[in-house]
Amino acid sequence: MLSRCSRTFTFSAQLRRLQSTLVIAEHNDKTLTPITGNAVSAAQQLGGDVTVLVAGTQCGSVAESVAKLKGVSRVLVAENEAFKGFIPEAITPLILAAQNQFKFSHIIAGASAFGKSLAPRVAAKLDVSPISEVIAIKSADTFVRTIYAGNAVLTLKAKDPVKILTIRSTNFPMATDGGSGAVEKAPEGDFKTDLATFVSQELTKSDRPELTSAKVIISGGRGLKSGDNFKLLYDLADKFGAAVGASRAAVDAGYVPNDLQIGQTGKIVAPELYIAVGISGAIQHLAGMKDSKTIVAINKDPEAPIFQVADYGLVADLFKAVPEMTTKL
Ligand SMILES: Cc1cc2nc3c(=O)[nH]c(=O)nc-3n(C[C@H](O)[C@H](O)[C@H](O)COP(=O)(O)OP(=O)(O)OC[C@H]3O[C@@H](n4cnc5c(N)ncnc54)[C@H](O)[C@@H]3O)c2cc1C
């Protein structure tokens, strides 16, 4: 019995050594996007070597910071004008070249707009199924993801020779510093593409924390009744140093821009504190915030579904309750 156990252990230890994962770094040529740190820790859970691919136009400093993440054994850097704008049509052939050279068992990206546009393309080229929005790793071939807008949890076993995953940042810890990976050149090639051309981008500038990494989020819904009334939430958010989010109804009504949308078709967040103001709690909204550590709901309707997921609920008129909270804080 004892010997069978030890054989099993040796076998699984060997299997873990056979794993080698490529993490696709997300960055803006200057700083690393935090979701890459979550992807690195997901890769560590698989065991084996972790290589990170940093592709950009001038991304040497990003590669250096990636190399310092604990668990990263190698960083492949690719600097090429073709990667301007980080278009998936240009980065995919680079990933395929790296895969061809190193034969990774897993390729991981964050489940962000960047990762979501890359993973299916790479998977199609490798003729395997992408596994999206993974929330837990059970073993090298068994993964957990949510389905039906977060209403059911699916555990799946992937038989593909290469597993292509996108991971939800909120479900994996951030990799810490303390590593010393080797920085090497990625495979070279002509990565220019006619399929898509990067023209320009306009990024919203905000002094507030980014929604997906904020510790506190104050979110407003249709109950706010106008964009001007969101000022109530911004005033409250200032007291917490919080980010402001919104329901899709508030976005669709034009109260706030759509990069504030939280939910199934918006951003997935899991802050320490989520305050939902004038939000009913439709399943599509809950899909984006129900993993928050503490949920507070302010709604004048005691039957609003948001109260079913809230740790603290206040049945009140938001136009009275929110200014009172702001004054008292
Ligand atoms: C495919 C699909 C994808 C979707 N994706 C998303 C998504 O990503 N994110 C998302 O949020 N939704 C999404 N939705 C829409 C979702 O179904 C709901 O319509 C939406 O979340 C409702 O937003 P809301 O709670 O702000 O508005 P409502 O449902 O209208 O709720 C407003 C709430 O405000 C309360 N209220 C009103 N006045 C006051 C007051 N003075 N004081 C206190 N409370 C007040 C009301 O009691 C009510 O509960 C999606 C829908 C579909 C079909």
Side-chain angles (χ1 to χ4, degrees):
M1 186 64 183
L2 188 66
S3 68
R4 205 192 296 161
C5 279
S6 71
R7 254 208 317 274
T8 312
F9 171 77
T10 316
F11 177 63
S12 70
Q14 274 169 355
L15 245 185
R16 284 169 72 83
R17 268 202 297 276
L18 288 176
Q19 314 301 335
S20 64
T21 303
L22 178 68
V23 173
I24 316 297
E26 185 171 339
H27 62 95
N28 62 2
D29 269 323
K30 291 190 191 80
T31 49
L32 191 64
T33 310
I35 199 166
T36 306
N38 306 108
V40 166
S41 74
Q44 277 180 277
Q45 289 181 21
L46 291 164
D49 279 348
V50 178
T51 299
V52 182
L53 176 66
V54 182
T57 44
Q58 281 187 311
C59 51
S61 61
V62 176
E64 295 298 333
S65 61
V66 171
K68 291 191 191 118
L69 292 178
K70 222 185 225 163
V72 173
S73 45
R74 176 172 47 201
V75 181
L76 299 174
V77 200
E79 292 186 326
N80 193 314
E81 275 305 298
F83 304 140
K84 200 171 177 186
F86 308 100
I87 48 176
E89 288 83 353
I91 297 178
T92 298
L94 170 69
I95 297 173
L96 297 175
Q99 175 62 15
N100 195 28
Q101 182 172 344
F102 297 102
K103 312 279 185 266
F104 298 105
S105 55
H106 297 74
I107 300 177
I108 301 188
S112 58
F114 172 75
K116 286 180 192 173
S117 62
L118 261 180
R121 182 171 283 270
V122 174
K125 290 281 185 188
L126 293 173
D127 198 19
V128 299
S129 299
I131 306 161
S132 58
E133 309 256 357
V134 169
I135 59 168
I137 291 171
K138 295 261 184 205
S139 72
D141 63 1
T142 308
F143 311 102
V144 184
R145 58 185 296 264
T146 56
I147 52 171
Y148 300 123
N151 280 316
V153 172
L154 172 86
T155 301
L156 68 95
K157 194 174 173 114
K159 292 186 172 169
D160 284 323
V162 189
K163 279 96 179 154
I164 315 266
L165 321 177
T166 59
I167 57 102
R168 271 208 191 150
S169 61
T170 48
N171 294 88
F172 294 92
M174 177 65 72
T176 49
D177 274 353
S180 55
V183 179
E184 297 172 15
K185 276 201 161 179
E188 309 243 332
D190 179 13
F191 300 114
K192 261 202 245 103
T193 173
D194 296 332
L195 292 173
T197 314
F198 174 74
V199 179
S200 67
Q201 64 181 3
E202 273 175 47
L203 300 173
T204 20
K205 288 197 187 87
S206 170
D207 297 335
R208 295 183 186 281
E210 213 277 311
L211 266 176
T212 51
S213 53
K215 292 208 164 18
V216 180
I217 296 176
I218 322 275
S219 223
R222 187 155 27 207
L224 265 295
K225 297 195 167 56
S226 77
D228 288 346
N229 289 336
F230 261 75
K231 177 163 186 326
L232 295 175
L233 304 194
Y234 286 116
D235 290 345
L236 182 59
D238 286 343
K239 300 277 177 160
F240 283 105
V244 170
S247 71
R248 174 156 154 183
V251 169
D252 286 352
Y255 300 170
V256 285
N258 67 359
D259 58 330
L260 262 55
Q261 185 177 319
I262 289 168
Q264 183 190 337
T265 41
K267 290 183 175 148
I268 310 277
V269 298
E272 300 288 326
L273 174 63
Y274 187 90
I275 307 182
V277 182
I279 291 180
S280 59
I283 52 163
Q284 295 91 352
H285 187 79
L286 302 186
M289 46 63 75
K290 68 176 167 27
D291 289 331
S292 305
K293 302 273 179 316
T294 303
I295 298 172
V296 175
I298 303 172
N299 197 304
K300 67 177 183 186
D301 175 8
E303 302 297 323
I306 191 79
F307 287 125
Q308 287 167 20
V309 296
D311 299 286
Y312 300 94
L314 179 61
V315 179
D317 184 333
L318 72 91
F319 294 104
K320 198 166 171 289
V322 174
E324 265 177 27
M325 280 173 76
T326 309
T327 328
K328 291 204 169 131
L329 277 165

